[in-house]
Amino acid sequence: MNYTLHQLQVFLKIAQTQSVTKASIELHLSQPAVSIQLKNLQEQFEIPLTEVIGRKIYITDFGKEIAEAAENILKEVEAINSIRLNYQGQLAGRLKISIVSTGKYVMPHFLSSFIKQNQGVNLSLDVTNKSRVIENLENNEIDFALVSVLPENLQVESIVLMQNKLFLIGSKGQDLQKGHHCSDILCEIPLIYREQGSGTRHVMEEFMKQNNLTVLKKMELTSNEAVKQAVIAGLGYSVMPIIGIKNELKNGDLEIIPVGGFPIKSNWQIIWIKGKKFSPVASAYLNHIKKEKRKIIKENFQWFERY
């Protein structure tokens, strides 16, 4: 056997994503490069690691066991590197964070300077919906989560990062009369929703419930980007966080529709399980956020205050 750590890393990513294409994107490699590494690894085994049916790749039972072993090997290598760096006086280890999908417009700015200052820190950042984020937190699979709606049945501690504002959004050519509308307008227009489990959807539905509004749900989409494009195309209206539509507002592709009770406000918060014992990396990151968050907000989110 003469497989390399790089081959194991590539194969593990293929097994996790069930796709050579997705693996290449996440590893920042070309598809041919990923395919070559898979081929080179496969040549060292007589039993298939994968099989292709149609255009989809499947991991065999043997391949699943190799992927599990590869994951353990790579964790041990990471641990060795962390020990080396710690002995050299550098902070080292893995920082694991799960964020709701809209949080991708927020969290990178609160990570950038910390990661740059600590080259020995490896970041694992999972971008998903609110339900999955809370599941990760509850299973103690992560250090921190970024949410705008706190979990109801989980004891957590938190730090507020910044405000979150949601507005009713329409396309540039939308048909509504100009001017301010009362909240009843939401009953008259086709609304585009996020999927069940989304924090944005939760906020929308709570607003409808509090105002006794019965609305026309036009469609349900699984990402903010999909909702954004559907609104731009004129398929309906939606309630969206302002943080994710900066460029579309600037370019005039989307417009804020003034409605009574809007913006709906919440807070972006970093949360963790109450009583969690932090690793040195997680503890250092928490201290970094407490010290630097005002500076980060000033440098990256001043535009946000205009709305």
Side-chain angles (χ1 to χ4, degrees):
M1 293 293 177
N2 193 31
Y3 45 77
T4 66
L5 291 175
H6 184 54
Q7 288 170 356
L8 294 179
Q9 181 187 35
V10 169
F11 179 64
L12 176 60
K13 188 59 68 176
I14 292 171
Q16 290 171 338
T17 61
Q18 299 285 304
S19 167
V20 170
T21 301
K22 290 179 181 177
S24 68
I25 292 170
E26 293 195 20
L27 292 169
H28 305 289
L29 297 170
S30 67
Q31 280 186 242
V34 169
S35 296
I36 288 170
Q37 293 302 319
L38 175 59
K39 179 177 179 292
N40 290 342
L41 181 64
Q42 177 62 76
E43 286 177 350
Q44 300 178 67
F45 299 101
E46 295 178 356
I47 305 170
L49 296 167
T50 63
E51 57 181 346
V52 177
I53 301 175
R55 300 183 66 181
K56 185 170 176 56
I57 191 169
Y58 293 88
I59 311 301
T60 64
D61 289 341
F62 175 71
K64 289 174 183 176
E65 291 197 35
I66 296 298
E68 184 178 348
E71 184 173 18
N72 292 331
I73 290 169
L74 292 168
K75 283 180 179 177
E76 290 301 321
V77 171
E78 185 178 300
I80 291 170
N81 287 333
S82 295
I83 292 168
R84 175 181 62 82
L85 291 169
N86 285 328
Y87 265 82
Q88 293 174 340
Q90 298 180 45
L91 186 66
R94 183 172 292 275
L95 180 63
K96 295 175 286 185
I97 300 177
S98 187
I99 67 175
V100 294
S101 57
T102 313
K104 66 178 177 284
Y105 302 107
V106 177
M107 199 67 205
H109 298 288
F110 287 91
L111 286 165
S112 177
S113 57
F114 180 76
I115 297 300
K116 287 176 181 177
Q117 291 166 18
N118 299 283
Q119 297 294 316
V121 172
N122 291 318
L123 174 64
S124 174
L125 185 64
D126 181 30
V127 183
T128 183
N129 66 21
K130 176 174 171 277
S131 296
R132 178 59 182 157
V133 168
I134 301 308
E135 184 180 334
N136 289 338
L137 197 66
E138 192 170 14
N139 293 337
N140 200 29
E141 296 172 350
I142 55 175
D143 297 308
F144 303 107
L146 178 70
V147 297
S148 60
V149 179
L150 290 175
E152 296 177 358
N153 302 312
L154 200 60
Q155 287 192 316
V156 299
E157 297 179 76
S158 66
I159 291 179
V160 174
L161 291 187
M162 57 183 286
Q163 197 172 65
N164 185 32
K165 301 176 188 176
L166 294 92
F167 292 84
L168 180 65
I169 303 297
S171 66
K172 183 179 180 181
Q174 49 90 9
D175 298 327
L176 290 180
Q177 280 188 324
K178 299 293 183 182
H180 196 275
H181 300 270
C182 67
S183 59
D184 289 347
I185 192 68
L186 295 167
C187 302
E188 302 172 12
I189 58 177
L191 281 176
I192 301 171
Y193 274 61
R194 282 288 306 277
E195 79 284 3
Q196 288 283 357
S198 157
T200 298
R201 177 170 179 148
H202 174 81
V203 170
M204 282 179 69
E205 291 180 332
E206 283 298 306
F207 182 85
M208 308 306 178
K209 187 188 301 182
Q210 290 169 10
N211 290 274
N212 297 313
L213 300 173
T214 303
V215 302
L216 170 62
K217 185 167 70 174
K218 178 73 173 178
M219 63 180 69
E220 183 178 296
L221 300 173
T222 57
S223 72
N224 277 298
E225 189 62 34
V227 172
K228 188 192 305 183
Q229 294 304 321
V231 174
I232 290 173
L235 294 175
Y237 302 80
S238 192
V239 175
M240 299 193 71
I242 192 83
I243 198 75
I245 56 174
K246 175 185 177 182
N247 291 334
E248 289 75 17
L249 290 173
K250 182 179 178 181
N251 296 337
D253 295 324
L254 293 175
E255 294 180 358
I256 292 173
I257 300 167
V259 175
F262 282 76
I264 305 171
K265 296 179 181 179
S266 60
N267 289 308
W268 288 110
Q269 300 184 61
I270 286 183
I271 65 174
W272 61 93
I273 292 289
K274 189 172 184 179
K276 182 175 177 62
K277 294 181 180 179
F278 291 123
S279 67
V281 169
S283 182
Y285 179 66
L286 200 57
N287 290 332
H288 173 82
I289 287 297
K290 291 176 180 178
K291 180 182 176 183
E292 300 291 334
K293 74 170 187 174
R294 289 188 179 181
K295 178 183 176 183
I296 293 168
I297 291 169
K298 184 177 180 181
E299 290 178 350
N300 298 283
F301 298 104
Q302 278 191 327
W303 67 271
F304 187 82
E305 301 304 322
R306 298 199 302 268
Y307 296 93

